């Protein structure tokens, strides 16, 4: 096995920076999983419930229009 070549200072800094980036990405992923995802799930279910209520209202209006008596005929124009 060849002897290890000593690293230059910029290589050390690059290695340290990469390690910090990996740690920050892990922290960020944990934050997304623990804080953001549950909140999105909670709010998306509320949004679906609201949409369902509005769709029910729309369906009722469509039924009302369909079941309404036809308008009286217009008198002929002279």
């Amino acid at each position: 096995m060849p002897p290890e070549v000593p690293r230059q200072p910029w290589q050390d800094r690059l290695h340290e920076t990469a390690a910090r980036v990996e740690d920050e990405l892990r922290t960020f992923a944990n934050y997304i999983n623990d804080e953001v995802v549950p909140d999105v799930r909670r709010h998306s279910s509320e949004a679906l419930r609201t949409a369902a209520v509005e769709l029910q209202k729309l369906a009722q209006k469509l039924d009302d229009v369909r079941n309404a008596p036809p308008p009286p005929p217009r008198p002929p124009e002279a």
Side-chain angles (χ1 to χ4, degrees):
M1 185 178 240
E4 203 171 302
V5 179
R7 288 195 245 181
Q8 299 295 323
W10 66 270
Q11 290 173 319
D12 288 336
R13 285 196 319 244
L14 182 63
H15 180 72
E16 290 169 8
T17 302
R20 277 188 297 189
V21 167
E22 288 176 1
D23 288 341
E24 291 296 324
L25 284 174
R26 271 194 227 64
T27 302
F28 180 69
N30 288 336
Y31 172 77
I32 293 293
N33 287 331
D34 297 342
E35 301 294 329
V36 175
V37 170
D39 201 39
V40 167
R41 286 183 180 149
R42 184 171 32 261
H43 291 297
S44 63
S45 64
E46 290 172 14
L48 285 173
R49 285 186 186 94
T50 301
V53 168
E54 294 302 316
L55 286 171
Q56 183 66 34
K57 290 177 187 177
L58 177 61
Q60 186 61 50
K61 287 180 182 178
L62 291 173
D63 287 343
D64 292 347
V65 168
R66 185 181 57 207
N67 296 330
R74 294 190 326 188
E77 293 184 20

